[in-house]
Amino acid sequence: MVTISSPALLTDHYELTMLQGALRSGAAHRRSVFEVFTRRLPEGRRYGVVAGTGRLLDEVEAFRFTPEQLAFLERAGVVDRPTLDWLEAYRFRGSISGYREGECYFPGSPILTVEGSFAECVVLETLILSILNHDSAIAAAASRMVAAAGGRPCIEMGSRRAHEQAAVASARAAYLAGFASTSNLEAGFRYGVPTVGTAAHAFTLVHDGEREAFQAQVATLGKGTTLLVDTYDVAEAVRVAVEVAGPDLGAVRLDSGDLLWMAHRVRRQLDELGAVDTKIVVTSDLDEYAIAALAVAPVDAYGVGTQLVTGSGAPTSAMVYKLVARARSAEPDAPLEAVAKHSAGKPSLGGRKYAYRRIEEDAVATEEVVSLRPNPQAGRPLSVPLVVDGEILARPDLSAARALHQESVAELPVSATQLSRGDAVIPTVYKVD
Amino acid sequence: MVTISSPALLTDHYELTMLQGALRSGAAHRRSVFEVFTRRLPEGRRYGVVAGTGRLLDEVEAFRFTPEQLAFLERAGVVDRPTLDWLEAYRFRGSISGYREGECYFPGSPILTVEGSFAECVVLETLILSILNHDSAIAAAASRMVAAAGGRPCIEMGSRRAHEQAAVASARAAYLAGFASTSNLEAGFRYGVPTVGTAAHAFTLVHDGEREAFQAQVATLGKGTTLLVDTYDVAEAVRVAVEVAGPDLGAVRLDSGDLLWMAHRVRRQLDELGAVDTKIVVTSDLDEYAIAALAVAPVDAYGVGTQLVTGSGAPTSAMVYKLVARARSAEPDAPLEAVAKHSAGKPSLGGRKYAYRRIEEDAVATEEVVSLRPNPQAGRPLSVPLVVDGEILARPDLSAARALHQESVAELPVSATQLSRGDAVIPTVYKVD
């Protein structure tokens, strides 16, 4: 049994050795600002989707070091006694602001801003990035699939292709980005995502025949259920399915073969059998391109697995957590100074950023404005306070994030959702004066 | 705080509706055999690596439905009352055998065999596949990186690019496949994987200058530490690093730029400064190809992040969990009958399999023999009992799995570890008579 009492060790070793060094030098107590942003979107993608913020705030709140964890750190010689004492008393008392969950983002968008002492902020780096990089990658892929499906529902069913906990987060992120439901029961239990499912090939195989399996399923789930019709011969299975359930059969599912051709054939057969309202659900390694290709097929819903939970070619986001400003002394009122590294090929702009989406009169976004000062004339403000002095202001709400995502995409130029490869659909404009 | 009291809902909805249907039809009680196998390796890969078995056994043991979980299933209308009652009493009492953790596998290898009633086996499908598909994908990528590194240590540091719990499993899988250590503290705490880490750019930036940062780090971590030298100017940083730590400085780390060129330049500079034993650690989006390209560079260790935790292009494995045999009645001694679906493009061979690796006299593997009967003359037997009648026989040991993996790769033809794309390095031969 996995009992995760605290997320505090979901942390890179070097966060704690940096802490130790900074406690010793005194820099640990300098007021600091860290920013989460990305230098680029995955190749060809036109927008990113912020996801994970809701999970993140819960984890930051739970980020305390337990006696067992501290004993491990001591035993393994990770940090010294003064550092252990500091960790024992740790809880985050700083402030966090950021893009709302579901908001679209672009290269340079200051997705999350974490402010506090260097020490209290640096130890959160790994966990914050793990959550945002994973969940945002899944949400971005899901958002494209939803656009490609053009109003037909998408069902998330990739749990078996992902780490068992990542699967739950993926189901949440997919729902946030517009998926209708998931197969993952834990996502229903933990986050209230609607769950669906009926039967796999094993159910047909464990019975003496397809007819017996269909009879058993209809007897227990009703004729509104979805029967899987490709275990043996599809045409024969569809015939038996309608014979068993009657013309009010809810749906049939196709999980193999040429889905475009097969959907047409099955639709014709269903109609001939009088099952004109019986829907067709297709699954089998779909991605956004396969979904788009099926637009002309008589398909009613898409089940998406592997390609959803692996981010459809982009299984992680490239978000980083960078120190952008810090005080020169540990005095609480010492002024912040911008800082940035100069590493080759990894440029950073120092200083705390404020972000706005410029919206033209036709309600279409034209620019991501990233400014070194508050600049409310620049457009819709993108950052909201999430944590103030260690207190979470409001638990993000998954339904609200889902609604926001729909609005955020609708506001982008229409080319945002085209599937062909391209650049970010709006440019990021920096205001540094 | 995430408290995972039971993994029982890390399960696809349809596993439970199938259960309900089978309880109603009586097929639930038929003795059944499920097999985990893959139809193909990721494109171009020459072998797979079994990983996750150790985690899996713990989770199977913990797979019980809590009152809260049952209340959710009832409230959400997932299953009916008789099914809820059955789930309330559930614990797995069947048997599991499989490839040892660390063993290489090929298309068709029966990686795990789960036997019991249909009901008790089917509900484990999602969790078993989630764990094996994820962990094996990471281990396979790690194994190639270790081979490419040719004896130089590889350090896993990808936590921030993966779901926070997948990151822990990834660190475990990488260690199993030969990585020397990880940055992930939870992997140290939970699995005993050695953890390492020193400092990031933020540590340099929070101090007044690079010299102050290096002084703070050496003061607290000793001169054996690794100093990060690419925050501003590398040559200047190396000069200051040796000035601060002396010629006994443990290592410097390069995290950007042209690592091949830079490693040569830094090695020359270190030698000129008398720091002839100071090592060079390189990081920055390495994969197995980048590692191989650095073979000619004076590099002492590789830190690998994103590409490790995303499986270097193959973030999941394609393992499936298929019913291959079942009794025709619920009688305990009813004989098993082979079953297989005929879905287009997804061929399966029914019947329980036994697997052997044929080894020629020169101790080189030549075939994966998959047989429908026990056939010990065919080679080294690959499957071992893991669970018998619900009792775990032996907790897999991570160090043992690590040693086994090394042996298993050493036994393959040498072309197994070449990086160019190719087919499975040995063929899978089916014996069906």
Side-chain angles (χ1 to χ4, degrees):
Chain A
M1 170 140 41
V2 177
T3 303
I4 299 165
S5 57
S6 158
L9 293 184
L10 300 170
T11 298
D12 284 324
H13 187 120
Y14 78 6
E15 314 290 4
L16 301 195
T17 45
M18 281 196 277
L19 169 67
Q20 176 176 316
L23 284 172
R24 177 121 168 194
S25 72
H29 310 296
R30 292 180 173 194
R31 191 154 64 91
S32 296
V33 178
F34 284 82
E35 244 173 42
V36 173
F37 66 93
T38 182
R39 296 187 184 94
R40 59 185 181 284
L41 298 175
E43 204 195 325
R45 294 283 181 87
R46 292 162 191 268
Y47 62 93
V49 181
V50 176
T53 320
R55 299 207 302 116
L56 175 68
L57 295 180
D58 287 343
E59 298 293 344
V60 167
E61 191 172 47
F63 200 98
R64 312 285 181 95
F65 289 82
T66 67
E68 294 74 22
Q69 291 175 329
L70 292 166
F72 159 74
L73 294 174
E74 182 167 28
R75 197 167 65 241
V78 176
V79 287
D80 61 16
R81 170 52 50 195
T83 308
L84 291 169
D85 291 343
W86 189 92
L87 291 174
E88 189 173 5
Y90 179 76
R91 81 175 186 83
F92 181 69
R93 292 190 175 79
S95 297
I96 302 178
S97 58
Y99 280 37
R100 288 179 297 166
E101 200 168 13
E103 188 73 84
C104 296
Y105 71 82
F106 300 92
S109 297
I111 293 160
L112 205 76
T113 304
V114 181
E115 178 166 1
S117 71
F118 176 79
E120 70 183 334
C121 296
V122 78
V123 298
L124 296 178
E125 174 177 24
T126 310
L127 183 59
I128 285 177
L129 287 178
S130 289
I131 293 174
L132 293 178
N133 272 324
H134 174 267
D135 291 14
S136 299
I138 306 306
S143 181
R144 280 162 62 86
M145 291 168 180
V146 168
R152 293 174 178 173
C154 293
I155 307 162
E156 190 284 308
M157 40 176 68
S159 296
R160 64 192 55 192
R161 302 292 184 187
H163 180 278
E164 67 276 17
Q165 294 296 335
V168 186
S170 292
R172 180 184 182 280
Y175 183 66
L176 183 157
F179 268 53
S181 55
T182 179
S183 66
N184 189 288
L185 289 170
E186 184 75 18
F189 181 53
R190 211 184 285 176
Y191 302 119
V193 180
T195 69
V196 297
T198 54
H201 296 106
F203 188 75
T204 299
L205 294 173
V206 74
H207 286 90
D208 293 343
E210 213 160 34
R211 177 180 301 272
E212 290 77 4
F214 289 173
Q215 285 168 337
Q217 188 176 327
V218 170
T220 192
L221 297 178
K223 55 191 179 183
T225 192
T226 300
L227 294 173
L228 177 59
V229 291
D230 70 341
T231 305
Y232 307 114
D233 177 76
V234 174
E236 172 64 10
V238 169
R239 196 183 62 72
V240 173
V242 176
E243 206 175 291
V244 167
D248 296 336
L249 172 63
V252 296
R253 178 160 77 96
L254 296 168
D255 183 46
S256 56
D258 179 340
L259 297 174
L260 180 57
W261 180 84
M262 191 66 83
H264 279 290
R265 212 185 72 165
V266 168
R267 182 72 271 156
R268 202 163 53 235
Q269 188 185 1
L270 286 169
D271 290 347
E272 284 166 8
L273 293 167
V276 294
D277 294 326
T278 300
K279 295 190 185 316
I280 298 176
V281 182
V282 294
T283 56
S284 191
D285 243 349
L286 298 178
D287 62 9
E288 60 270 44
Y289 304 100
I291 290 170
L294 287 164
V296 295
V299 163
D300 300 285
Y302 302 99
V304 189
T306 307
Q307 293 303 318
L308 185 276
V309 297
T310 59
S312 200
T316 187
S317 318
M319 292 180 198
V320 293
Y321 183 88
K322 293 296 169 194
L323 181 69
V324 295
R326 52 109 183 102
R328 189 172 275 268
S329 85
E331 296 302 312
D333 55 353
L336 289 170
E337 296 176 357
V339 294
K341 65 176 176 176
H342 306 150
S343 308
K346 297 182 175 178
S348 295
L349 175 65
R352 174 212 287 272
K353 321 292 189 305
Y354 301 84
Y356 307 89
R357 192 151 298 156
R358 187 181 300 284
I359 312 288
E360 293 301 318
E361 280 148 32
D362 50 1
V364 174
T366 54
E367 281 179 356
E368 187 85 340
V369 180
V370 176
S371 167
L372 288 179
R373 332 180 172 280
N375 191 356
Q377 285 75 39
R380 180 164 71 80
L382 294 167
S383 205
V384 297
L386 298 166
V387 177
V388 172
D389 298 338
E391 297 304 318
I392 298 181
L393 290 188
R395 302 281 160 183
D397 172 272
L398 189 55
S399 299
R402 194 165 190 260
L404 171 68
H405 180 61
Q406 207 174 356
E407 288 165 28
S408 184
V409 171
E411 191 182 69
L412 298 179
V414 287
S415 58
T417 53
Q418 75 188 55
L419 291 180
S420 56
R421 287 170 175 266
D423 296 321
V425 71
I426 57 172
T428 302
V429 176
Y430 292 93
K431 306 270 187 203
V432 296
D433 51 1
Chain B
M1 168 143 38
V2 178
T3 303
I4 299 167
S5 56
S6 158
L9 292 184
L10 300 170
T11 297
D12 285 323
H13 187 118
Y14 78 6
E15 314 290 4
L16 301 195
T17 45
M18 281 196 277
L19 169 67
Q20 176 175 316
L23 284 171
R24 177 120 169 195
S25 72
H29 310 296
R30 294 181 172 193
R31 192 154 64 91
S32 297
V33 179
F34 285 82
E35 247 172 41
V36 174
F37 65 94
T38 181
R39 296 189 184 92
R40 58 186 183 284
L41 298 175
E43 203 195 325
R45 293 284 180 87
R46 292 161 191 267
Y47 62 94
V49 181
V50 176
T53 321
R55 298 209 301 118
L56 174 66
L57 295 180
D58 287 344
E59 298 292 344
V60 168
E61 191 172 46
F63 199 98
R64 312 283 181 95
F65 289 82
T66 67
E68 294 74 23
Q69 291 175 330
L70 292 166
F72 160 73
L73 294 174
E74 182 169 26
R75 196 167 64 239
V78 176
V79 287
D80 61 17
R81 170 53 49 196
T83 308
L84 291 169
D85 291 342
W86 189 92
L87 291 174
E88 189 172 7
Y90 179 76
R91 81 175 185 83
F92 181 69
R93 290 188 176 81
S95 297
I96 302 177
S97 59
Y99 280 37
R100 289 179 296 166
E101 199 168 14
E103 188 74 84
C104 296
Y105 71 82
F106 300 92
S109 296
I111 291 159
L112 205 75
T113 304
V114 181
E115 179 168 0
S117 70
F118 176 79
E120 71 183 332
C121 297
V122 78
V123 298
L124 297 178
E125 173 176 23
T126 312
L127 183 59
I128 285 177
L129 287 178
S130 289
I131 294 175
L132 292 178
N133 272 326
H134 174 266
D135 291 16
S136 299
I138 306 306
S143 181
R144 280 162 62 86
M145 292 168 179
V146 168
R152 293 174 178 172
C154 293
I155 307 162
E156 190 284 306
M157 41 176 67
S159 296
R160 65 192 54 193
R161 301 293 183 189
H163 180 279
E164 67 277 16
Q165 294 296 335
V168 186
S170 292
R172 181 185 182 279
Y175 183 66
L176 183 158
F179 269 54
S181 54
T182 180
S183 66
N184 189 288
L185 289 169
E186 185 75 17
F189 182 52
R190 210 183 285 175
Y191 302 120
V193 179
T195 69
V196 297
T198 53
H201 296 106
F203 188 77
T204 298
L205 294 173
V206 75
H207 286 91
D208 293 343
E210 213 160 35
R211 177 180 301 272
E212 290 77 3
F214 289 172
Q215 284 169 336
Q217 187 176 329
V218 169
T220 191
L221 297 178
K223 55 192 178 182
T225 193
T226 299
L227 294 172
L228 177 58
V229 292
D230 70 342
T231 305
Y232 306 113
D233 177 77
V234 174
E236 173 65 10
V238 170
R239 196 184 63 72
V240 173
V242 176
E243 206 175 290
V244 167
D248 297 335
L249 172 63
V252 296
R253 178 161 77 95
L254 296 168
D255 183 46
S256 57
D258 179 341
L259 296 174
L260 178 58
W261 180 84
M262 193 65 84
H264 279 289
R265 210 185 76 166
V266 168
R267 180 74 270 158
R268 201 163 54 235
Q269 188 185 2
L270 285 170
D271 290 348
E272 285 166 7
L273 292 168
V276 294
D277 295 324
T278 300
K279 296 191 185 320
I280 298 176
V281 182
V282 294
T283 56
S284 189
D285 243 348
L286 299 179
D287 63 9
E288 60 269 46
Y289 304 101
I291 290 170
L294 288 164
V296 296
V299 163
D300 299 284
Y302 302 100
V304 188
T306 308
Q307 293 303 318
L308 184 277
V309 297
T310 58
S312 198
T316 186
S317 318
M319 291 181 199
V320 293
Y321 182 88
K322 292 297 169 193
L323 181 68
V324 295
R326 53 108 181 102
R328 191 173 273 268
S329 85
E331 296 302 311
D333 54 352
L336 288 171
E337 295 176 357
V339 294
K341 66 175 176 177
H342 305 151
S343 309
K346 296 181 175 179
S348 295
L349 175 64
R352 174 211 288 275
K353 320 293 188 307
Y354 301 83
Y356 307 90
R357 192 151 297 156
R358 188 181 298 286
I359 311 290
E360 293 301 318
E361 280 147 31
D362 51 0
V364 174
T366 55
E367 281 180 355
E368 187 84 339
V369 180
V370 177
S371 169
L372 288 179
R373 324 178 178 284
N375 191 356
Q377 284 76 40
R380 181 164 72 79
L382 293 168
S383 204
V384 297
L386 298 167
V387 176
V388 172
D389 297 337
E391 296 305 318
I392 298 180
L393 290 187
R395 301 281 160 184
D397 172 274
L398 188 56
S399 299
R402 192 166 193 259
L404 171 68
H405 180 62
Q406 206 173 358
E407 289 164 27
S408 184
V409 171
E411 193 183 67
L412 298 178
V414 288
S415 58
T417 53
Q418 75 189 56
L419 291 180
S420 55
R421 285 169 176 264
D423 296 320
V425 72
I426 58 172
T428 301
V429 176
Y430 292 93
K431 304 272 186 202
V432 297
D433 51 359

